[in-house]
Amino acid sequence: PAAAPGSLDMLCEDLPCKVCQEQPIERRLLMEVGVARSARALRRSLRDFEDPEERAAVEEELRLAEIVLAELHRHRQHTPFFKVVARGPRGKSYRSVFDGETIYELGVPFFDAKGGCFVHPTEEAATQSVASFPRSSAAWGAPRALLVVRGEGAVCLRHGKVLFDGITPLAELPWDTPHGKAPHTRWRF
């Protein structure tokens, strides 16, 4: 399996991180989504306050929310996420299983202006997802690869997966299956 030069350094830099060990990734992402929503609401509400004391109180709440968000983002930078992709020609490139066109390169950030990048919070969840791709996916029958990625930008939680504005693919992982090969997409009728 391949890796971008130095790409795993940031993930390993803060390991083992006490916060990340004590708080599961799903909980940290829920906190990040909730605090980001609160910060947006506080920013909107600043337009409505004419009383200087009330405005100062809201500004302080916003400042504290932004500190918490910055800390959650810092921890996200050394948290691995996982993406199932289609292996490109000659096994040296990666592309989206869903659209068959989006290209992923190790070490190169990719931002999707059309809706973001779905990833999984665990390697196990990614492996289990292989069979759940819609049959209409452009690269449905292509060989699969499992990438470890870093989540970039804003985060949303949708359909049991994590959605980031973008990702940076860091390395290809070997499949954790009894035979070490990619799980196959199951035929469905």
Side-chain angles (χ1 to χ4, degrees):
S7 61
L8 297 178
D9 293 345
M10 182 174 245
L11 284 177
C12 297
E13 172 176 297
D14 289 329
L15 297 177
C17 168
K18 186 175 180 180
V19 170
C20 294
Q21 286 178 342
E22 293 176 356
Q23 300 295 327
I25 182 58
E26 293 86 353
R27 183 170 183 182
R28 287 185 282 130
L29 290 173
L30 284 171
M31 287 174 22
E32 185 175 338
V33 168
V35 173
R37 186 181 311 120
S38 296
R40 285 191 305 273
L42 288 167
R43 278 188 211 93
R44 280 191 308 271
S45 72
L46 281 173
R47 294 177 252 166
D48 301 333
F49 289 104
E50 294 178 20
D51 179 1
E53 284 184 32
E54 287 180 355
R55 183 174 185 81
V58 172
E59 286 173 343
E60 179 62 11
E61 289 295 321
L62 178 57
R63 185 184 73 77
L64 294 173
E66 288 172 343
I67 289 170
V68 170
L69 267 178
E71 185 67 9
L72 289 167
H73 285 169
R74 186 177 74 79
H75 288 288
R76 186 172 12 117
Q77 288 300 301
H78 62 256
T79 300
F81 294 92
F82 304 88
K83 183 159 187 72
V84 176
V85 295
R87 185 176 303 287
R90 296 176 299 283
K92 297 200 178 204
S93 64
Y94 308 99
R95 57 192 167 110
S96 166
V97 173
F98 186 71
D99 70 20
E101 295 177 12
T102 303
I103 303 294
Y104 301 104
E105 295 179 51
L106 296 180
V108 178
F110 172 80
F111 287 85
D112 185 356
K114 295 184 261 179
C117 300
F118 281 106
V119 299
H120 298 277
T122 65
E123 185 176 352
E124 179 183 4
T127 301
Q128 291 173 351
S129 78
V130 170
S132 66
F133 280 95
R135 187 106 189 260
S136 60
S137 296
W140 186 79
R144 303 289 203 269
L146 179 61
L147 301 181
V148 61
V149 302
R150 183 175 54 231
E152 309 285 0
V155 62
C156 295
L157 304 174
R158 293 202 182 139
H159 314 295
K161 293 187 273 187
V162 181
L163 178 68
F164 287 112
D165 289 339
I167 58 170
T168 300
L170 302 173
E172 181 182 347
L173 297 179
W175 288 99
D176 186 18
T177 60
H179 47 75
K181 295 181 181 176
H184 293 289
T185 301
R186 292 189 184 102
W187 285 93
R188 292 178 290 185
F189 294 99

